[in-house]
Amino acid sequence: MNDAHSKNALVVIWSSKDPEVAMNMVFMYCKNSKIHGWWESVKLVVWGPSAKLLSENENLQTELSYMKKEGVEILACKACADQYGVSEALKELGCKVIYMGQPLTDYLKQGLHVLTF
């Protein structure tokens, strides 16, 4: 990834198990970032307790599908998802379930903007 692109790329780490944080901050900002062109690239990383919440909450699943349609890339930490027993459920929702330690390290080294909720 070149420098120009990294300045217009956002990675959002979502780890909160609070559905209000998900709906009213994380999902809203990710979706609107793509709709309004605030960021060229937006990646949402489902990490930790948010993995279990997403696997159980139908409202969040619906919003996730809207975000995907707008072009937000959805990733989920495989280690976390496996711990909660939800890897398959997240895959069925269209999440790319992968080990995230190295990708996150790469994003940081490439200078991508990273937000954590």
Side-chain angles (χ1 to χ4, degrees):
M1 179 172 298
N2 65 36
D3 246 11
H5 184 69
S6 67
K7 291 178 182 169
N8 202 8
L10 175 68
V11 177
V12 176
I13 308 293
W14 170 41
S15 62
S16 172
K17 66 180 182 179
D18 185 335
E20 288 185 43
V21 168
M23 192 68 79
N24 297 322
M25 294 180 72
V26 178
F27 286 28
M28 184 184 297
Y29 186 69
C30 287
K31 183 173 70 177
N32 282 311
S33 289
K34 288 302 289 181
I35 289 172
H36 299 292
W38 299 334
W39 297 97
E40 182 180 321
S41 168
V42 178
K43 297 178 188 301
L44 173 62
V45 179
V46 181
W47 202 316
S50 61
K52 187 171 189 306
L53 176 63
L54 181 59
S55 74
E56 299 170 343
N57 188 304
E58 290 182 17
N59 291 334
L60 294 179
Q61 293 169 9
T62 299
E63 284 299 312
L64 184 84
S65 69
Y66 295 147
M67 278 195 300
K68 285 178 52 188
K69 287 178 186 170
E70 292 300 333
V72 176
E73 183 180 357
I74 313 295
L75 306 166
C77 174
K78 181 168 175 28
C80 298
D82 285 351
Q83 286 179 342
Y84 288 105
V86 298
S87 290
E88 289 307 312
L90 295 180
K91 286 178 188 176
E92 290 173 15
L93 293 171
C95 298
K96 182 177 180 183
V97 180
I98 60 173
Y99 292 106
M100 284 302 306
Q102 186 63 56
L104 177 59
T105 301
D106 294 343
Y107 300 152
L108 292 167
K109 288 181 177 181
Q110 293 166 4
L112 275 68
H113 300 274
V114 177
L115 288 177
T116 305
F117 291 94

